[in-house]
Amino acid sequence: SQQGEEDPQALSIQEGENATMNCSYKTSINNLQWYRQNSGRGLVHLILIRSNEREKHSGRLRVTLDTSKKSSSLLITASRAADTASYFCATARTGANSKLTFGKGITLSVRP
Amino acid sequence: DSGVTQTPKHLITATGQRVTLRCSPRSGDLSVYWYQQSLDQGLQFLIQYYNGEERAKGNILERFSAQQFPDLHSELNLSSLELGDSALYFCASSVVGTSTDTQYFGPGTRLTVL
């Protein structure tokens, strides 16, 4: 079963706007990671946030983590057409087992 | 480019057949993971190896097996293939294979079973 649930399932915005995507999960985690996938291609790692971190930035990306609500958000600022892709959150649970549990993904379309 | 390579990129085969997917991890990474991505199941963890030893198992069918060789490359063997095995199969690698690691994904092998 999938632990991560992203919201919304699909998002369509205009170039230059900000895109906010949310992810909720069910169990305690060691870290949460966001990945991007362009149509049927490989997954590109975007950012990792650890359970003891609340916010992290990387370029135009901002990720927040609220462990009390078991949720995370990914903000892409000043979006570009090239940001069009599917975005997945993935959680790694506490413990030696490092498998990632993925959500179903969010399809982001950025209109030029 | 993540540094993880997978071959072949595409594979078309018939039901009942057996195929082998190959993965080379990033230089220096000791752990390899296999994931399956399908429309109905999404991205599912199959199995993890660390330095040649199996470390964790997920939703991997008995018809599937994997191994990691001394040079750290890994192979995923799928046998008695069924239509439902059609999917994208990803390999990922990480440095030490713990839950604090970042996993880097290869481009995937698209398997089509006819």
Side-chain angles (χ1 to χ4, degrees):
Chain A
S1 65
Q2 289 171 312
Q3 166 158 250
E5 294 285 341
E6 292 99 340
D7 166 56
Q9 290 189 339
L11 184 60
S12 180
I13 59 174
Q14 201 72 36
E15 205 165 29
E17 294 180 339
N18 296 340
T20 299
M21 291 168 270
N22 303 302
C23 167
S24 60
Y25 57 92
K26 296 174 184 171
T27 64
S28 61
I29 61 171
N30 179 287
N31 64 70
L32 185 145
Q33 304 181 39
W34 284 90
Y35 287 84
R36 185 186 76 225
Q37 183 179 35
N38 290 83
S39 185
R41 302 180 71 173
L43 290 144
V44 175
H45 182 262
L46 296 177
I47 198 164
L48 179 153
I49 186 165
R50 304 189 194 287
S51 59
N52 62 353
E53 296 175 312
R54 291 296 165 257
E55 188 171 313
K56 207 162 180 181
H57 297 256
S58 176
R60 294 184 295 113
L61 305 180
R62 173 179 168 253
V63 169
T64 61
L65 179 64
D66 186 334
T67 53
S68 66
K69 294 181 179 177
K70 292 187 168 57
S71 67
S72 172
S73 67
L74 171 68
L75 169 68
I76 304 175
T77 60
S79 64
R80 304 167 182 168
D83 294 328
T84 294
S86 293
Y87 291 81
F88 294 86
C89 70
T91 53
R93 293 178 66 172
T94 306
N97 185 339
S98 60
K99 72 168 191 176
L100 291 176
T101 303
F102 284 84
K104 293 184 178 179
I106 299 169
T107 301
L108 173 66
S109 298
V110 181
R111 304 185 301 274
Chain B
D1 184 359
S2 67
V4 179
T5 61
Q6 288 186 249
T7 56
K9 287 185 180 177
H10 302 277
L11 202 47
I12 301 174
T13 188
T15 54
Q17 295 298 304
R18 172 190 169 95
V19 297
T20 298
L21 312 183
R22 184 188 167 103
C23 167
S24 293
R26 293 187 323 155
S27 177
D29 284 359
L30 297 177
S31 193
V32 168
Y33 310 75
W34 286 97
Y35 292 84
Q36 179 194 58
Q37 185 179 34
S38 62
L39 280 174
D40 52 345
Q41 296 292 321
L43 267 158
Q44 300 275 328
F45 167 75
L46 296 178
I47 197 163
Q48 177 199 2
Y49 281 84
Y50 172 75
N51 206 20
E53 299 289 326
E54 182 184 304
R55 176 169 275 186
K57 229 171 185 177
N59 301 323
I60 188 166
L61 300 172
E62 284 191 13
R63 301 183 284 108
F64 296 0
S65 65
Q67 59 184 130
Q68 185 180 26
F69 295 86
D71 67 353
L72 301 178
H73 90 271
S74 177
E75 292 181 356
L76 178 66
N77 299 296
L78 315 176
S79 61
S80 303
L81 285 167
E82 301 174 1
L83 295 177
D85 298 327
S86 295
L88 260 172
Y89 290 85
F90 288 108
C91 168
S93 73
S94 72
V95 179
V96 292
T98 64
S99 56
T100 57
D101 269 5
T102 295
Q103 293 182 27
Y104 294 92
F105 282 72
T109 293
R110 182 174 292 280
L111 174 66
T112 303
V113 182
L114 301 175

